[in-house]
Amino acid sequence: MAPMIRRKAVKKGLNFTIMVVGPSGCGKSTFVNTLCESDVLPKKDYSNAEKAAIPKTVAIAPTTVEMEEDGLKLSLTIVDTPGFGDNINNEGSFEEILSYIEKQYDEILAQESRIKRNPKFQDNRVHVLLYFIPPTGHALREMDIEFMRRLSPRVNVVPVVAKSDSMVPQELAAFKKRVMEDIAHYQIPIYNFPYDEEEDDEETIEENNELRALLPFSVVGSEEEVIVNGRRVRCRQYPWGVVEVDNSRHCDFSKLRYMLLSSHLHDLKDITHDILYENYRTEKLSKEGAVDEEEEEDE
């Protein structure tokens, strides 16, 4: 980041929005609370039948938390989607999530069209969608393929293997390979750490290739801290040992967190504005123009 822009960002702070999508019970709340290092999303109480009742439709719920990363103030909005994937027919869930993302684009478009813009206007566009894939050990489900296919043209989709500690390393590696083969086969345009070999430096290219090789990110979430070899670590404990959340040899959580909140935050915001939003804007204005022409012809 250029020094002038960085000083401005330090003073004003940055806004960043992450949407988390995946079926109930796949660890989204624990992941978000681990990511933000605070209780951002309440966990569902499955001991109470009424509280645990699954909503019939997806309930989109944004929550904003103020953080500081690398000396920068960060206003992080988490958009949760409880109820997703819990019905036999999930078409309604797909539409509601897509509609929410497009509504934020519509609000920006409306602001751009005003003669005098609102200086206090809040840009709520979703910069990245983390799609939690259940650790089945098989391949992508039809629902996973259809959802990512439909949402990828509108938002940066990053696939994540939920509760990856439920598989042994060999199973996890094979599962990740199959997921990426499916994504390539069905030509799903996920966010794959793009770079320009002519413009980007070697370090950037190397980092992006390393992160691309980790897709889909395997994550483990835990808010529990224990002492391991004299160190206080966040981990999940099992009879055979511990899985450390922040240990990159155990899972990809630390790499994913750094990518989201530091190294690729600006790239995700830029792609959202310069490519995804611009494509939506062009499509919308083209359609409106075509409708106007048809009405004129009818007259």
Side-chain angles (χ1 to χ4, degrees):
M1 206 192 310
M4 183 74 76
I5 299 171
R6 184 179 172 85
R7 277 200 296 274
K8 204 171 180 182
V10 169
K11 193 175 177 184
K12 282 180 66 180
L14 290 167
N15 293 324
F16 191 64
T17 301
I18 300 172
M19 179 179 268
V20 289
V21 180
S24 297
C26 71
K28 297 190 305 295
S29 299
T30 302
F31 170 83
V32 167
N33 294 343
T34 310
L35 180 80
C36 301
E37 298 174 354
S38 61
D39 292 331
V40 178
L41 299 181
K43 289 184 188 166
K44 195 167 278 187
D45 181 9
Y46 289 100
S47 63
N48 183 312
E50 284 184 18
K51 285 183 182 177
I54 294 166
K56 288 278 185 284
T57 57
V58 67
I60 296 175
T63 306
T64 301
V65 57
E66 302 300 325
M67 299 172 67
E68 192 167 307
E69 284 293 316
D70 294 335
L72 285 177
K73 289 179 187 171
L74 182 62
S75 183
L76 179 65
T77 299
I78 302 291
V79 183
D80 191 17
T81 54
F84 174 85
D86 296 328
N87 299 311
I88 294 168
N89 183 350
N90 290 286
E91 182 66 29
S93 297
F94 290 16
E95 287 302 320
E96 282 196 49
I97 292 169
L98 182 60
S99 175
Y100 178 88
I101 289 167
E102 291 185 343
K103 184 186 169 199
Q104 314 314 315
Y105 288 157
D106 286 335
E107 289 181 1
I108 293 285
L109 190 53
Q111 273 298 310
E112 288 178 350
S113 307
R114 292 176 61 162
I115 296 168
K116 192 175 181 184
R117 298 186 192 183
N118 178 5
K120 293 183 179 177
F121 173 75
Q122 181 73 43
D123 180 359
N124 293 316
R125 285 176 292 187
V126 177
H127 301 113
V128 61
L129 185 155
L130 299 181
Y131 185 67
F132 284 71
I133 301 164
T136 61
H138 303 301
L140 287 178
R141 300 166 303 167
E142 192 178 325
M143 183 179 84
D144 302 325
I145 294 162
E146 186 56 32
F147 179 80
M148 289 195 284
R149 211 167 167 177
R150 206 179 299 185
L151 271 290
S152 287
R154 290 287 180 255
V155 65
N156 292 302
V157 173
V158 173
V160 168
V161 177
K163 296 185 174 179
S164 64
D165 52 332
S166 63
M167 290 185 273
V168 298
Q170 295 87 340
E171 288 174 329
L172 178 60
F175 182 53
K176 288 175 77 163
K177 185 171 180 284
R178 276 196 293 273
V179 166
M180 292 312 292
E181 284 171 353
D182 281 348
I183 285 171
H185 177 75
Y186 292 102
Q187 299 180 327
I188 303 168
I190 61 166
Y191 177 77
N192 70 340
F193 304 95
Y195 58 81
D196 187 320
E197 287 189 354
E198 292 182 7
E199 289 190 16
D200 289 323
D201 57 45
E202 282 183 27
E203 192 180 334
T204 301
I205 293 170
E206 188 181 341
E207 182 181 44
N208 281 17
N209 276 324
E210 281 176 14
L211 290 167
R212 190 181 285 183
L214 292 176
L215 286 166
F217 289 93
S218 57
V219 298
V220 176
S222 176
E223 296 160 76
E224 182 187 358
E225 287 191 345
V226 297
I227 305 295
V228 177
N229 298 327
R231 295 179 300 123
R232 183 176 287 278
V233 296
R234 293 186 293 184
C235 67
R236 295 186 75 85
Q237 295 188 79
Y238 295 97
W240 45 262
V242 297
V243 176
E244 295 178 27
V245 170
D246 300 293
N247 188 332
S248 58
R249 288 178 299 171
H250 293 192
C251 73
D252 302 326
F253 175 84
S254 60
K255 298 270 178 73
L256 177 58
R257 187 183 194 279
Y258 179 69
M259 181 280 280
L260 289 171
L261 304 183
S262 188
S263 66
H264 285 70
L265 181 147
H266 290 280
D267 192 48
L268 291 162
K269 284 176 74 91
D270 289 346
I271 288 175
T272 300
H273 181 72
D274 298 338
I275 299 172
L276 300 169
Y277 168 67
E278 279 303 317
N279 287 345
Y280 176 77
R281 180 178 175 276
T282 303
E283 283 174 34
K284 178 127 185 174
L285 295 178
S286 297
K287 278 182 190 170
E288 288 176 0
V291 169
D292 290 342
E293 282 177 21
E294 282 176 21
E295 287 176 354
E296 283 175 17
E297 284 173 12
D298 291 341
E299 287 172 9

